[in-house]
Amino acid sequence: MLFSRIIKAAKARRAQRKGATAVEFALVALPFFALLLGIFEVALILTVSALLENAVSQSGRLVRTGQVSRNATADEFKEEICERMTVFEKACLNRIQIDLQPVASFSNPGITNPIDQGDFDPNKLKFNIGEARSFMLMRVWYRQPVVTPFLGHAMTRLNNGDTLLHAATAFRNEPF
């Protein structure tokens, strides 16, 4: 009789645990998948940032060595940079902004910041490939949309919620 009571009590406890796994999964799933999405998005942003740095460095070399036409426009140069962005080439043209200009010196370049209180002003950007032996500063910004909640708050972002990636290179033009 005691044995049968123990068995009934064990069965009653087991019956009360039905659905516990589903409830536990529901509690853990949302944070887990948000974390997983965040990891993938950070990986994507780091990949885009590395590609942007490489593209800016290689494209800056074209300016430095005089391989860019003196009549080149900012849009043509954007295409040059975006061709080097591999899988992100299509989105690149709509998301990239370039500022290329000669500077008096690297210690005091005397340039303006196109970002003001979360708004990007492309009217403050210049495109000038400079003369031979000019000190040059090339800055490139890339707007990357952020989907993961709370991830955008930890990054430099614009008022529209996009993360703003930045790459720059400074050099002196060769005597071309």
Side-chain angles (χ1 to χ4, degrees):
M1 179 143 163
L2 179 63
F3 186 68
S4 65
R5 273 195 222 158
I6 293 173
I7 292 177
K8 283 182 184 178
K11 285 183 180 180
R13 267 189 255 122
R14 199 173 326 144
Q16 292 171 358
R17 292 193 47 90
K18 284 187 180 177
T21 304
V23 171
E24 289 170 0
F25 178 76
L27 292 172
V28 172
L30 185 61
F32 173 74
F33 287 122
L35 179 65
L36 196 60
L37 178 64
I39 290 170
F40 284 129
E41 191 157 30
V42 167
L44 175 71
I45 289 171
L46 290 174
T47 301
V48 170
S49 180
L51 287 172
L52 182 65
E53 286 281 344
N54 187 42
V56 167
S57 176
Q58 290 178 0
S59 299
R61 181 167 172 71
L62 295 177
V63 174
R64 182 173 58 242
T65 58
Q67 296 177 41
V68 175
S69 168
R70 307 238 359 112
N71 300 326
T73 64
D75 289 333
E76 292 170 348
F77 197 66
K78 280 182 187 180
E79 289 177 12
E80 182 67 40
I81 291 175
C82 289
E83 284 177 6
R84 300 173 192 283
M85 293 286 291
T86 61
V87 296
F88 302 102
E89 181 178 350
K90 297 280 191 244
C92 177
L93 287 173
N94 297 326
R95 296 179 180 176
I96 197 169
Q97 296 291 335
I98 300 172
D99 181 53
L100 174 65
Q101 58 184 307
V103 293
S105 70
F106 293 135
S107 61
N108 186 14
I111 56 174
T112 59
N113 187 0
I115 304 166
D116 185 26
Q117 297 180 1
D119 290 321
F120 193 90
D121 185 7
N123 296 325
K124 293 183 179 178
L125 304 179
K126 298 177 182 173
F127 184 79
N128 179 355
I129 63 169
E131 301 296 324
R133 298 183 184 202
S134 297
F135 291 112
M136 302 294 295
L137 178 62
M138 183 166 84
R139 303 179 298 166
V140 177
W141 293 270
Y142 186 93
R143 288 180 292 109
Q144 177 66 33
V146 177
V147 201
T148 307
F150 308 114
L151 185 61
H153 297 291
M155 302 178 144
T156 304
R157 62 188 183 125
L158 299 173
N159 287 336
N160 65 2
D162 290 349
T163 292
L164 195 59
L165 303 176
H166 178 252
T169 184
F171 52 88
R172 186 174 188 187
N173 283 345
E174 294 178 1
F176 45 82

